[in-house]
């Protein structure tokens, strides 16, 4: 936790916040060894960040002065990530990686090789997803939560959502064996589609290419989804 | 497991291998649903890979014909990775990521902000490390195991090992706040040094720069070690 992320519920007024939840209180005490008077890095969800002063710390509350929070969050990546729903533990870690890297738009997509049981996982609950996004923001000292949407049908996604997503973005399908090398250092909006373990099936790749996406690859090595997504984002931007 | 990695112990002759260990046998049965006659992707540790035929599968043995294994493994990354020893679970995952990405030389380094207890972790046992390297190779369809060495003193590493490591490699220290952007698409040998959670201390950075390394950064976001290392490798090569 490189930043203490403050939710709207924590804010008393434009100077004072009160943190009550056990997770952040425990972290303040055990990891930071925080004491009244300490300056800590704080950020307001969706807003500014900076150094705030810890005014008081008790068993059930931390009180901060936030008057000096005046920096903007780090720039986001210009990407909408469409990720075939990974297995639950991989989803959790991938959400943390991509949030830390600055992704702000994530669509979790059903494809043929996504196991149906993954859609029933408790990891897809709003609170669980939110938790991993918050971990990613706290890691990277960011304040703006990504937006996560679920697309439970591949065909409806391709027919109803993909055309407008591609209207002002370059579409890239990352898939082993595609002809194009992954581009480097882009400075334009991208829609990045990443398949499940085992990959998209050929018909899915055809649909995505027919819709205007370009196929790219990362070389001959087959990578786990979490490794591949981090590598793709680091190379693309 | 995208490749069944065969150790020297498995090899009976230049045509036949016998696999006995429960992990690979369970994977063959449960994940692949393998049956005699199936062609599977096999690779010989340190050697070739290709499609081998499953000749027989019993409760305690799988017998393969390996006569057709004639492809070389994918190219390695031209990097020696020096990684401040991460906490045990992060170490395990990072070894898998970087092995899958093609790193062949890894030094685990002590630095000031490495917790001393990490050096006592069972994860540093040869068998544990080997296991994560094998997982990385199986994921990426590679056969050449990385070499992992431990450098338990920062000063001895800098004085005794660093000069020769830098003799024919470009040294890059990844550290937040360094002046240089991480270079892209290098095609030359690199020594990449990555600090622990919390970073190198300023004295350590000075020592590495004085030895001839260049400081680079990945932007304003603070990343977990496993995310940072994957992102650095993907951007550098």
């Amino acid at each position: 936790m490189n930043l203490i992320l403050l939710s709207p519920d924590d804010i008393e007024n434009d100077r004072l916040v009160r943190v009550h939840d056990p997770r952040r209180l425990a972290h303040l005490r055990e990891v930071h060894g925080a004491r009244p008077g300490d300056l800590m890095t704080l950020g307001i969800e969706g807003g500014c960040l900076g150094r705030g002063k810890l005014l008081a710390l008790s068993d059930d509350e931390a009180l901060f002065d936030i008057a000096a929070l005046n920096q903007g969050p780090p720039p986001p990546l210009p990407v909408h990530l469409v990720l075939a729903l990974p297995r639950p533990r991989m989803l959790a870690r991938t959400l943390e990686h991509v949030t830390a890297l600055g992704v702000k738009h994530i669509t979790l997509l059903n494809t043929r090789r996504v196991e149906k049981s993954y859609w029933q996982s408790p990891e897809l609950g709003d609170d669980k997803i939110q938790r991993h996004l918050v971990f990613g923001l706290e890691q990277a000292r960011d304040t703006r939560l990504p937006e996560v949407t679920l697309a439970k049908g591949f065909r409806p996604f391709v027919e109803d959502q993909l055309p407008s997503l591609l209207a002002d973005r370059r579409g890239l399908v990352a898939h082993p064996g595609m002809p194009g090398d992954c581009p480097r250092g882009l400075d334009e909006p991208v829609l990045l589609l990443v398949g499940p373990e085992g990959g998209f099936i050929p018909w899915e790749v055809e649909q995505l290419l027919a819709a205007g996406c370009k196929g790219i690859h990362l070389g001959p090595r087959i990578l786990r989804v979490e490794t591949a997504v981090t590598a793709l984002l680091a190379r693309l931007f």
Side-chain angles (χ1 to χ4, degrees), chain A residues 87-223:
Chain A
R87 60 189 156 85
R89 280 183 54 206
M90 183 83 79
L91 171 66
R93 290 205 300 266
T94 304
L95 288 174
E96 294 178 21
H97 294 306
V98 306
T99 302
L101 288 162
V103 174
K104 298 299 173 193
H105 303 279
I106 303 166
T107 298
L108 299 172
L109 177 65
N110 192 45
T111 74
R112 177 68 171 278
R113 293 199 181 120
V114 170
E115 283 194 26
K116 286 200 173 44
S117 65
Y118 297 171
W119 290 103
Q120 314 306 326
S121 163
E123 284 293 334
L124 278 183
D126 283 349
D127 52 333
K128 285 292 185 76
I129 285 186
Q130 168 92 7
R131 192 178 137 149
H132 297 296
L133 303 179
V134 166
F135 287 164
L137 294 182
E138 289 174 343
Q139 170 64 45
R141 290 193 177 151
D142 193 357
T143 62
R144 283 181 286 191
L145 279 165
E147 179 187 275
V148 178
T149 54
L150 308 184
K152 296 191 182 180
F154 183 83
R155 194 190 290 261
F157 170 78
V158 169
E159 290 174 1
D160 305 336
Q161 296 179 54
L162 191 54
S164 63
L165 286 170
L166 289 174
D168 49 7
R169 287 179 192 85
R170 176 167 171 176
L172 299 173
V173 184
H175 186 66
M178 288 284 107
D181 263 353
C182 178
R184 292 174 190 272
L186 296 182
D187 190 19
E188 61 183 296
V190 168
L191 183 77
L192 174 65
L193 299 108
V194 179
E197 305 286 320
F200 291 113
I201 62 170
W203 179 82
E204 289 163 347
V205 174
E206 282 163 30
Q207 297 297 304
L208 297 172
L209 299 182
C213 296
K214 193 186 155 207
I216 61 168
H217 69 85
L218 272 176
R221 294 172 177 277
I222 302 177
L223 302 175

Side-chain angles (χ1 to χ4, degrees), chain A residues 60-75:
Chain A
D60 56 1
E61 182 179 273
L63 184 68
F64 289 99
D65 175 349
I66 57 164
L69 271 50
N70 54 16
Q71 300 165 35

